[in-house]
Amino acid sequence: MCHDTDMDEIDYKKLFNEARKYFKLEWDYTKLTAVEKMAVLLSSIAFLAVVIIIGAFALNYLISAVVSALAVALDSMWAAHLIAVGILLVLLLVVFAFKKQLIVDPVARFVSKLFLKPEDNE
């Protein structure tokens, strides 16, 4: 009878050690997954920042070209600048009016897919 008690004690120790190993591996997996997803998120933010900066320079040159062409056509530099500012304000109002469709929804979809999609190996 004493032999069965020793065997049960050994099985519980073994079970406890296996459970401890399992939870440690799960914790390590969770940390690795979080680091991977944060790396994807931060690299996407960096890419977006570069695109915005380059786009701002391109838009600046485009507006300068439009102002130059309008100044020649209208023979008035101030009128050309006013028209260019008007175009930019209309563009700004369109972006503001459709901010949910253009900005909020795509960002929310990207982040939710990144953090909430089920893993392939499960």
Side-chain angles (χ1 to χ4, degrees), residues 40-55:
V40 170
L41 181 64
L42 292 175
S43 65
S44 298
I45 290 170
F47 175 75
L48 184 62
V50 169
V51 167
I52 288 172
I53 290 168
I54 292 171

Side-chain angles (χ1 to χ4, degrees), residues 46-113:
F47 175 75
L48 184 62
V50 169
V51 167
I52 288 172
I53 290 168
I54 292 171
F57 278 109
L59 184 62
N60 185 38
Y61 283 113
L62 178 65
I63 292 298
S64 294
V66 168
V67 166
S68 296
L70 284 173
V72 169
L74 299 174
D75 198 28
S76 173
M77 185 61 85
W78 65 269
H81 277 93
L82 285 176
I83 291 171
V85 167
I87 292 169
L88 287 174
L89 288 175
V90 168
L91 182 62
L92 181 66
L93 289 173
V94 168
V95 170
F96 187 75
F98 295 102
K99 70 180 174 192
K100 186 169 179 0
Q101 296 91 337
L102 295 174
I103 299 168
V104 175
D105 288 347
V107 170
R109 271 194 304 273
F110 172 74
V111 172
S112 66
K113 280 182 187 177

